[in-house]
Amino acid sequence: MLEPLMHILKSQRIILASQSPRRRHILENVKFPFEVVVSTFGEDLNKALFHHPWEYCEETARRKVLEVSSRFSDDERMPDLVIGADTVVSMNNQIFEKPANKEEAIDMLMQFSGKSHIVYTAVALAVHRPGYKHLFEVHSFHEGTEVFMSELTPDIITSYVETGEPLDKAGGYGIQGLGGTLVSTIRGDYFNIMGFPLHRFCVELRKLYTDLGKL
């Protein structure tokens, strides 16, 4: 889907404002050109101020790209595009991020057992405005994927958590790893659960570049 854009993308400076190896892997697999500059935004927004989990997610992604964009104000070559993303898990409108410890991971998985939850990933695209050295315009969107978790016994949950895999994953599991054995089925984009809605990203990027007159 991005092939008609590749000659343009390869001529630009594109920043991925994320330290997630999964997001890097997804983009590298489709030969998307980028360099990594990790955002230092604290991800400490007050969840109570947001009516819906995806709103919290979108604002966090937006803050990430704005923080990274601000660091290039004196750079000779400004980025043409800065990409940021944030992923959360939601059930009954409660937000689950990365567990702070093993006990929290166990508690999350016990709540998910035998039920479905939604994984939201928001993506923010900060585009440099030509002629305005310090000005970036941010476009954001989100994608939701429903995940159905199997009935999990306490020994299954404890054994999985002891592998250490859940501790850097929103919701306390990684579908692309051992956590995939806990999931019975999904409804929506698999890559979204990994932390980057690839198809929606391609659609939104094409639309954005068309609106900018680049396609």
Side-chain angles (χ1 to χ4, degrees):
M1 179 171 281
L2 289 180
E3 285 308 312
L5 266 180
M6 275 301 181
H7 67 289
I8 298 171
L9 298 173
K10 288 178 179 178
S11 69
Q12 294 187 330
R13 186 178 189 189
I14 300 175
I15 305 294
L16 176 62
S18 173
Q19 64 181 350
S20 166
R22 294 169 293 281
R23 292 183 183 126
R24 292 201 303 267
H25 179 69
I26 290 170
L27 289 174
E28 286 169 350
N29 266 0
V30 295
K31 313 299 182 187
F32 189 88
F34 66 92
E35 59 187 278
V36 174
V37 177
V38 178
S39 171
T40 59
F41 174 65
E43 301 187 39
D44 52 1
L45 298 175
N46 184 353
K47 298 179 182 66
L49 299 177
F50 299 88
H51 296 294
H52 198 283
W54 65 260
E55 294 174 339
Y56 168 82
C57 204
E58 278 200 12
E59 183 60 20
T60 300
R62 193 180 75 86
R63 297 288 186 98
K64 288 179 181 180
V65 296
L66 288 175
E67 187 282 320
V68 169
S69 300
S70 70
R71 283 190 256 158
F72 291 94
S73 59
D74 296 319
D75 198 296
E76 286 188 5
R77 186 183 178 192
M78 296 291 289
D80 298 281
L81 175 67
V82 181
I83 304 166
D86 187 61
T87 300
V88 300
V89 172
S90 173
M91 188 171 69
N92 299 326
N93 223 38
Q94 180 181 349
I95 294 173
F96 299 84
E97 297 185 282
K98 297 173 184 176
N101 48 51
K102 290 181 179 179
E103 290 72 24
E104 195 169 302
I106 289 171
D107 181 64
M108 287 181 183
L109 291 169
M110 287 179 64
Q111 291 186 63
F112 296 156
S113 176
K115 303 172 185 173
S116 70
H117 57 266
I118 306 291
V119 178
Y120 290 105
T121 296
V123 177
L125 307 174
V127 181
H128 180 230
R129 291 284 300 274
Y132 297 87
K133 187 171 183 180
H134 303 154
L135 184 60
F136 283 81
E137 187 174 302
V138 180
H139 304 260
S140 59
F141 61 91
H142 70 276
E143 190 74 20
T145 302
E146 189 171 13
V147 178
F148 297 84
M149 196 70 79
S150 298
E151 293 280 355
L152 306 176
T153 60
D155 65 311
I156 290 174
I157 292 174
T158 301
S159 297
Y160 173 59
V161 171
E162 284 300 323
T163 68
E165 184 180 87
L167 297 181
D168 68 336
K169 312 290 192 304
Y173 70 95
I175 195 169
Q176 73 283 355
L178 296 171
T181 65
L182 312 179
V183 174
S184 59
T185 189
I186 69 171
R187 183 179 295 141
D189 183 358
Y190 171 83
F191 292 110
N192 189 58
I193 306 171
M194 286 181 63
F196 200 80
L198 182 60
H199 176 72
R200 180 72 182 278
F201 167 71
C202 295
V203 170
E204 296 291 339
L205 190 64
R206 283 179 57 87
K207 179 181 176 183
L208 177 58
Y209 274 55
T210 298
D211 291 344
L212 292 172
K214 296 181 181 293
L215 184 61

